[in-house]
Amino acid sequence: DTGVSQDPRHKITKRGQNVTFRCDPISEHNRLYWYRQTLGQGPEFLTYFQNEAQLEKSRLLSDRFSAERPKGSFSTLEIQRTEQGDSAMYLCASSTIGGSSYNEQFFGPGTRLTVL
Amino acid sequence: AQSVTQLGSHVSVSEGALVLLRCNYSSSVPPYLFWYVQYPNQGLQLLLKYTTGATLVKGINGFEAEFKKSETSFHLTKPSAHMSDAAEYFCAVSDGLYGNNRLAFGKGNQVVVIP
């Protein structure tokens, strides 16, 4: 399977615990995006990387959230001191970059987080 | 900043009837527009996209959409609904070549197909 993969698919945690999610993009893709989708809403942009550099962070990404993409390959999204409002589906997408054509984002299956 | 409006969170359509999902966008630069479909507990799958050129775009599964700049719209249609079309549909806009291609999504339409 050469698509975007995310791990775990589901995570249940207690309020106040830390959680970490992983995203493995399509191998030749330079850009990696994180989105959050709450119940009944469309996905909302959180942050994106170009290779290993984190180039933009949304205001939704509070200081409890941190994302990394070491070596420009897989990425991790960590949430510290989880709150019930963090319960959502966390989606990862990747794309190529360059040229004059649109670079389609390919989405992974998501990690569903439930904070009790 | 780009934004998208999708009205009517739930849409019911009879099998064999026309599917019409409305999307209006706001963008300060020429937009790139997309429709995605999401099945339960799955990620997003691209149905179709408009970047430049022909304003009527055809996608997978018999869907098509027309970009109308004067109406700032990008409505999705399918002539005849099939039971397998039951899913959630999202319209999205990006700043294309002018930025980082991040997507701004609408709230989505949950489509129910009635046999």
Side-chain angles (χ1 to χ4, degrees), chain A residues 6-11 13 17-23 34 64 66-68 74-82 90 111 113:
Chain A
Q6 292 186 246
D7 184 70
R9 293 291 306 276
H10 303 274
K11 178 71 176 178
T13 191
Q17 298 295 305
N18 299 342
V19 295
T20 300
F21 311 139
R22 177 180 171 124
C23 170
W34 285 99
R64 296 186 297 106
S66 62
E68 296 181 339
F74 71 91
S75 175
T76 58
L77 178 67
E78 181 183 15
I79 309 174
Q80 296 182 326
R81 305 180 303 280
T82 53
Y90 290 84
T111 294
L113 172 67

mmCIF file of all heavy atoms in Angstrom, chain A residues 6-11 13 17-23 34 64 66-68 74-82 90 111 113:
data_model
loop_
_atom_site.group_PDB
_atom_site.id
_atom_site.type_symbol
_atom_site.label_atom_id
_atom_site.label_comp_id
_atom_site.label_asym_id
_atom_site.label_seq_id
_atom_site.Cartn_x
_atom_site.Cartn_y
_atom_site.Cartn_z
ATOM 1 N N GLN A 6 -1.768 6.344 8.860
ATOM 2 C CA GLN A 6 -1.783 7.006 10.157
ATOM 3 C C GLN A 6 -1.918 5.962 11.252
ATOM 4 O O GLN A 6 -2.621 4.956 11.087
ATOM 5 C CB GLN A 6 -2.949 7.997 10.241
ATOM 6 C CG GLN A 6 -2.781 9.192 9.309
ATOM 7 C CD GLN A 6 -3.859 10.240 9.511
ATOM 8 O OE1 GLN A 6 -4.680 10.494 8.627
ATOM 9 N NE2 GLN A 6 -3.857 10.870 10.688
ATOM 10 N N ASP A 7 -1.271 6.239 12.367
ATOM 11 C CA ASP A 7 -1.282 5.295 13.472
ATOM 12 C C ASP A 7 -1.278 6.049 14.798
ATOM 13 O O ASP A 7 -0.540 7.031 14.941
ATOM 14 C CB ASP A 7 -0.031 4.403 13.388
ATOM 15 C CG ASP A 7 -0.034 3.338 14.462
ATOM 16 O OD1 ASP A 7 -0.875 2.417 14.368
ATOM 17 O OD2 ASP A 7 0.775 3.439 15.393
ATOM 18 N N PRO A 8 -2.130 5.673 15.766
ATOM 19 C CA PRO A 8 -3.141 4.623 15.665
ATOM 20 C C PRO A 8 -4.376 5.105 14.907
ATOM 21 O O PRO A 8 -4.490 6.285 14.607
ATOM 22 C CB PRO A 8 -3.466 4.340 17.126
ATOM 23 C CG PRO A 8 -3.299 5.669 17.783
ATOM 24 C CD PRO A 8 -2.137 6.326 17.089
ATOM 25 N N ARG A 9 -5.295 4.217 14.633
ATOM 26 C CA ARG A 9 -6.550 4.622 14.009
ATOM 27 C C ARG A 9 -7.523 5.171 15.042
ATOM 28 O O ARG A 9 -8.334 6.048 14.765
ATOM 29 C CB ARG A 9 -7.184 3.443 13.282
ATOM 30 C CG ARG A 9 -6.402 2.961 12.069
ATOM 31 C CD ARG A 9 -6.436 3.982 10.925
ATOM 32 N NE ARG A 9 -7.787 4.342 10.570
ATOM 33 C CZ ARG A 9 -8.553 3.645 9.738
ATOM 34 N NH1 ARG A 9 -8.111 2.546 9.188
ATOM 35 N NH2 ARG A 9 -9.786 4.063 9.470
ATOM 36 N N HIS A 10 -7.430 4.639 16.244
ATOM 37 C CA HIS A 10 -8.288 5.090 17.341
ATOM 38 C C HIS A 10 -7.447 5.214 18.600
ATOM 39 O O HIS A 10 -6.549 4.397 18.835
ATOM 40 C CB HIS A 10 -9.423 4.091 17.601
ATOM 41 C CG HIS A 10 -10.274 3.818 16.411
ATOM 42 N ND1 HIS A 10 -11.349 4.593 16.073
ATOM 43 C CD2 HIS A 10 -10.191 2.862 15.455
ATOM 44 C CE1 HIS A 10 -11.914 4.117 14.971
ATOM 45 N NE2 HIS A 10 -11.226 3.072 14.582
ATOM 46 N N LYS A 11 -7.775 6.277 19.398
ATOM 47 C CA LYS A 11 -7.076 6.455 20.667
ATOM 48 C C LYS A 11 -8.065 6.985 21.679
ATOM 49 O O LYS A 11 -8.742 7.987 21.429
ATOM 50 C CB LYS A 11 -5.920 7.445 20.492
ATOM 51 C CG LYS A 11 -5.158 7.752 21.772
ATOM 52 C CD LYS A 11 -4.330 6.578 22.207
ATOM 53 C CE LYS A 11 -3.500 6.914 23.435
ATOM 54 N NZ LYS A 11 -2.711 5.744 23.904
ATOM 55 N N THR A 13 -8.216 8.238 25.633
ATOM 56 C CA THR A 13 -7.332 8.647 26.709
ATOM 57 C C THR A 13 -8.126 9.399 27.763
ATOM 58 O O THR A 13 -9.258 9.824 27.524
ATOM 59 C CB THR A 13 -6.195 9.526 26.157
ATOM 60 O OG1 THR A 13 -5.208 9.713 27.168
ATOM 61 C CG2 THR A 13 -6.718 10.899 25.728
ATOM 62 N N GLN A 17 -3.870 13.453 30.040
ATOM 63 C CA GLN A 17 -2.798 12.608 29.512
ATOM 64 C C GLN A 17 -2.249 13.201 28.218
ATOM 65 O O GLN A 17 -2.896 14.004 27.555
ATOM 66 C CB GLN A 17 -3.322 11.195 29.253
ATOM 67 C CG GLN A 17 -3.818 10.472 30.489
ATOM 68 C CD GLN A 17 -2.689 10.215 31.471
ATOM 69 O OE1 GLN A 17 -1.676 9.622 31.107
ATOM 70 N NE2 GLN A 17 -2.847 10.669 32.689
ATOM 71 N N ASN A 18 -1.039 12.776 27.870
ATOM 72 C CA ASN A 18 -0.424 13.166 26.605
ATOM 73 C C ASN A 18 -0.653 12.073 25.574
ATOM 74 O O ASN A 18 -0.657 10.883 25.902
ATOM 75 C CB ASN A 18 1.083 13.386 26.777
ATOM 76 C CG ASN A 18 1.402 14.479 27.769
ATOM 77 O OD1 ASN A 18 0.553 15.299 28.098
ATOM 78 N ND2 ASN A 18 2.640 14.497 28.236
ATOM 79 N N VAL A 19 -0.839 12.469 24.325
ATOM 80 C CA VAL A 19 -0.991 11.501 23.239
ATOM 81 C C VAL A 19 -0.126 11.927 22.058
ATOM 82 O O VAL A 19 0.148 13.113 21.872
ATOM 83 C CB VAL A 19 -2.462 11.365 22.765
ATOM 84 C CG1 VAL A 19 -3.336 10.783 23.861
ATOM 85 C CG2 VAL A 19 -3.011 12.701 22.279
ATOM 86 N N THR A 20 0.294 10.938 21.274
ATOM 87 C CA THR A 20 1.090 11.206 20.072
ATOM 88 C C THR A 20 0.547 10.386 18.927
ATOM 89 O O THR A 20 0.280 9.184 19.081
ATOM 90 C CB THR A 20 2.576 10.852 20.302
ATOM 91 O OG1 THR A 20 3.079 11.638 21.373
ATOM 92 C CG2 THR A 20 3.390 11.130 19.045
ATOM 93 N N PHE A 21 0.398 11.043 17.790
ATOM 94 C CA PHE A 21 -0.067 10.377 16.576
ATOM 95 C C PHE A 21 1.046 10.413 15.534
ATOM 96 O O PHE A 21 1.831 11.356 15.490
ATOM 97 C CB PHE A 21 -1.300 11.087 15.981
ATOM 98 C CG PHE A 21 -2.387 11.377 16.959
ATOM 99 C CD1 PHE A 21 -3.063 12.579 16.924
ATOM 100 C CD2 PHE A 21 -2.738 10.450 17.934
ATOM 101 C CE1 PHE A 21 -4.074 12.865 17.821
ATOM 102 C CE2 PHE A 21 -3.754 10.726 18.838
ATOM 103 C CZ PHE A 21 -4.421 11.935 18.787
ATOM 104 N N ARG A 22 1.025 9.426 14.661
ATOM 105 C CA ARG A 22 2.033 9.351 13.616
ATOM 106 C C ARG A 22 1.381 9.357 12.246
ATOM 107 O O ARG A 22 0.319 8.773 12.062
ATOM 108 C CB ARG A 22 2.873 8.090 13.783
ATOM 109 C CG ARG A 22 3.912 7.897 12.676
ATOM 110 C CD ARG A 22 4.721 6.643 12.876
ATOM 111 N NE ARG A 22 5.551 6.356 11.707
ATOM 112 C CZ ARG A 22 6.860 6.204 11.751
ATOM 113 N NH1 ARG A 22 7.511 6.294 12.903
ATOM 114 N NH2 ARG A 22 7.548 5.943 10.647
ATOM 115 N N CYS A 23 2.039 9.994 11.304
ATOM 116 C CA CYS A 23 1.586 10.003 9.913
ATOM 117 C C CYS A 23 2.766 9.650 9.014
ATOM 118 O O CYS A 23 3.840 10.258 9.115
ATOM 119 C CB CYS A 23 1.045 11.380 9.525
ATOM 120 S SG CYS A 23 0.721 11.564 7.751
ATOM 121 N N TRP A 34 -1.559 18.634 8.471
ATOM 122 C CA TRP A 34 -2.417 18.089 9.528
ATOM 123 C C TRP A 34 -3.703 18.908 9.571
ATOM 124 O O TRP A 34 -3.666 20.154 9.533
ATOM 125 C CB TRP A 34 -1.736 18.148 10.893
ATOM 126 C CG TRP A 34 -0.671 17.136 11.123
ATOM 127 C CD1 TRP A 34 0.677 17.300 11.019
ATOM 128 C CD2 TRP A 34 -0.861 15.776 11.550
ATOM 129 N NE1 TRP A 34 1.333 16.132 11.342
ATOM 130 C CE2 TRP A 34 0.413 15.184 11.665
ATOM 131 C CE3 TRP A 34 -1.984 14.997 11.843
ATOM 132 C CZ2 TRP A 34 0.604 13.849 12.059
ATOM 133 C CZ3 TRP A 34 -1.802 13.682 12.234
ATOM 134 C CH2 TRP A 34 -0.522 13.122 12.340
ATOM 135 N N ARG A 64 -0.339 23.525 23.601
ATOM 136 C CA ARG A 64 -0.358 22.120 24.040
ATOM 137 C C ARG A 64 -0.096 21.167 22.856
ATOM 138 O O ARG A 64 0.134 19.988 23.056
ATOM 139 C CB ARG A 64 -1.708 21.781 24.674
ATOM 140 C CG ARG A 64 -2.026 22.541 25.956
ATOM 141 C CD ARG A 64 -3.314 22.037 26.588
ATOM 142 N NE ARG A 64 -4.467 22.258 25.716
ATOM 143 C CZ ARG A 64 -5.080 21.294 25.031
ATOM 144 N NH1 ARG A 64 -4.657 20.027 25.122
ATOM 145 N NH2 ARG A 64 -6.126 21.580 24.272
ATOM 146 N N SER A 66 2.100 20.082 19.500
ATOM 147 C CA SER A 66 3.375 20.234 18.812
ATOM 148 C C SER A 66 3.466 19.188 17.713
ATOM 149 O O SER A 66 3.021 18.050 17.878
ATOM 150 C CB SER A 66 4.548 20.109 19.777
ATOM 151 O OG SER A 66 4.567 18.825 20.363
ATOM 152 N N ALA A 67 4.021 19.597 16.596
ATOM 153 C CA ALA A 67 4.180 18.687 15.471
ATOM 154 C C ALA A 67 5.618 18.728 15.006
ATOM 155 O O ALA A 67 6.282 19.774 15.072
ATOM 156 C CB ALA A 67 3.238 19.071 14.330
ATOM 157 N N GLU A 68 6.089 17.577 14.553
ATOM 158 C CA GLU A 68 7.443 17.474 14.038
ATOM 159 C C GLU A 68 7.456 16.632 12.785
ATOM 160 O O GLU A 68 6.588 15.788 12.579
ATOM 161 C CB GLU A 68 8.378 16.816 15.077
ATOM 162 C CG GLU A 68 8.570 17.598 16.340
ATOM 163 C CD GLU A 68 9.528 16.892 17.292
ATOM 164 O OE1 GLU A 68 9.716 15.668 17.155
ATOM 165 O OE2 GLU A 68 10.090 17.571 18.165
ATOM 166 N N PHE A 74 8.271 10.853 7.994
ATOM 167 C CA PHE A 74 7.043 10.765 8.763
ATOM 168 C C PHE A 74 6.895 11.995 9.663
ATOM 169 O O PHE A 74 7.859 12.751 9.889
ATOM 170 C CB PHE A 74 7.030 9.471 9.600
ATOM 171 C CG PHE A 74 7.998 9.487 10.742
ATOM 172 C CD1 PHE A 74 7.610 9.934 12.009
ATOM 173 C CD2 PHE A 74 9.306 9.068 10.567
ATOM 174 C CE1 PHE A 74 8.518 9.957 13.060
ATOM 175 C CE2 PHE A 74 10.210 9.079 11.611
ATOM 176 C CZ PHE A 74 9.816 9.534 12.863
ATOM 177 N N SER A 75 5.684 12.180 10.164
ATOM 178 C CA SER A 75 5.425 13.297 11.063
ATOM 179 C C SER A 75 4.722 12.789 12.305
ATOM 180 O O SER A 75 3.998 11.778 12.261
ATOM 181 C CB SER A 75 4.546 14.337 10.372
ATOM 182 O OG SER A 75 4.182 15.384 11.254
ATOM 183 N N THR A 76 4.915 13.486 13.413
ATOM 184 C CA THR A 76 4.177 13.189 14.639
ATOM 185 C C THR A 76 3.450 14.445 15.102
ATOM 186 O O THR A 76 3.933 15.566 14.925
ATOM 187 C CB THR A 76 5.106 12.702 15.762
ATOM 188 O OG1 THR A 76 6.097 13.688 16.012
ATOM 189 C CG2 THR A 76 5.755 11.383 15.388
ATOM 190 N N LEU A 77 2.289 14.225 15.675
ATOM 191 C CA LEU A 77 1.506 15.297 16.281
ATOM 192 C C LEU A 77 1.277 14.905 17.732
ATOM 193 O O LEU A 77 0.698 13.849 18.006
ATOM 194 C CB LEU A 77 0.171 15.466 15.560
ATOM 195 C CG LEU A 77 -0.786 16.528 16.119
ATOM 196 C CD1 LEU A 77 -0.217 17.926 15.925
ATOM 197 C CD2 LEU A 77 -2.160 16.431 15.453
ATOM 198 N N GLU A 78 1.739 15.722 18.658
ATOM 199 C CA GLU A 78 1.591 15.432 20.076
ATOM 200 C C GLU A 78 0.654 16.442 20.702
ATOM 201 O O GLU A 78 0.724 17.640 20.412
ATOM 202 C CB GLU A 78 2.940 15.477 20.798
ATOM 203 C CG GLU A 78 2.817 15.147 22.287
ATOM 204 C CD GLU A 78 4.136 15.264 23.038
ATOM 205 O OE1 GLU A 78 5.082 15.859 22.506
ATOM 206 O OE2 GLU A 78 4.191 14.760 24.186
ATOM 207 N N ILE A 79 -0.225 15.941 21.545
ATOM 208 C CA ILE A 79 -1.096 16.800 22.332
ATOM 209 C C ILE A 79 -0.778 16.550 23.800
ATOM 210 O O ILE A 79 -0.878 15.411 24.276
ATOM 211 C CB ILE A 79 -2.590 16.521 22.080
ATOM 212 C CG1 ILE A 79 -2.910 16.532 20.586
ATOM 213 C CG2 ILE A 79 -3.438 17.572 22.806
ATOM 214 C CD1 ILE A 79 -4.347 16.130 20.260
ATOM 215 N N GLN A 80 -0.396 17.591 24.501
ATOM 216 C CA GLN A 80 -0.102 17.478 25.930
ATOM 217 C C GLN A 80 -1.328 17.895 26.742
ATOM 218 O O GLN A 80 -2.108 18.753 26.316
ATOM 219 C CB GLN A 80 1.100 18.353 26.287
ATOM 220 C CG GLN A 80 2.385 17.915 25.597
ATOM 221 C CD GLN A 80 3.577 18.764 26.000
ATOM 222 O OE1 GLN A 80 3.438 19.955 26.246
ATOM 223 N NE2 GLN A 80 4.733 18.146 26.084
ATOM 224 N N ARG A 81 -1.458 17.270 27.903
ATOM 225 C CA ARG A 81 -2.544 17.618 28.849
ATOM 226 C C ARG A 81 -3.879 17.693 28.104
ATOM 227 O O ARG A 81 -4.553 18.736 28.073
ATOM 228 C CB ARG A 81 -2.232 18.952 29.529
ATOM 229 C CG ARG A 81 -0.879 18.983 30.218
ATOM 230 C CD ARG A 81 -0.609 20.319 30.890
ATOM 231 N NE ARG A 81 -0.689 21.450 29.980
ATOM 232 C CZ ARG A 81 0.262 21.816 29.156
ATOM 233 N NH1 ARG A 81 1.392 21.109 29.076
ATOM 234 N NH2 ARG A 81 0.108 22.867 28.373
ATOM 235 N N THR A 82 -4.275 16.582 27.533
ATOM 236 C CA THR A 82 -5.477 16.558 26.697
ATOM 237 C C THR A 82 -6.703 17.054 27.441
ATOM 238 O O THR A 82 -6.852 16.861 28.661
ATOM 239 C CB THR A 82 -5.759 15.152 26.152
ATOM 240 O OG1 THR A 82 -5.784 14.224 27.242
ATOM 241 C CG2 THR A 82 -4.727 14.741 25.131
ATOM 242 N N TYR A 90 -8.164 13.362 13.629
ATOM 243 C CA TYR A 90 -6.976 14.080 13.169
ATOM 244 C C TYR A 90 -6.540 13.454 11.848
ATOM 245 O O TYR A 90 -6.201 12.271 11.783
ATOM 246 C CB TYR A 90 -5.875 14.026 14.233
ATOM 247 C CG TYR A 90 -6.261 14.862 15.431
ATOM 248 C CD1 TYR A 90 -7.070 14.329 16.433
ATOM 249 C CD2 TYR A 90 -5.864 16.193 15.534
ATOM 250 C CE1 TYR A 90 -7.471 15.114 17.511
ATOM 251 C CE2 TYR A 90 -6.252 16.970 16.613
ATOM 252 C CZ TYR A 90 -7.067 16.425 17.591
ATOM 253 O OH TYR A 90 -7.464 17.208 18.654
ATOM 254 N N THR A 111 -6.838 9.559 12.574
ATOM 255 C CA THR A 111 -6.786 9.011 13.929
ATOM 256 C C THR A 111 -7.926 9.629 14.715
ATOM 257 O O THR A 111 -7.998 10.859 14.829
ATOM 258 C CB THR A 111 -5.455 9.340 14.623
ATOM 259 O OG1 THR A 111 -4.385 8.683 13.962
ATOM 260 C CG2 THR A 111 -5.503 8.904 16.081
ATOM 261 N N LEU A 113 -9.523 10.514 18.077
ATOM 262 C CA LEU A 113 -9.165 10.685 19.487
ATOM 263 C C LEU A 113 -10.416 10.929 20.315
ATOM 264 O O LEU A 113 -11.227 11.796 19.973
ATOM 265 C CB LEU A 113 -8.208 11.872 19.656
ATOM 266 C CG LEU A 113 -7.896 12.277 21.095
ATOM 267 C CD1 LEU A 113 -7.100 11.170 21.790
ATOM 268 C CD2 LEU A 113 -7.143 13.591 21.145
#
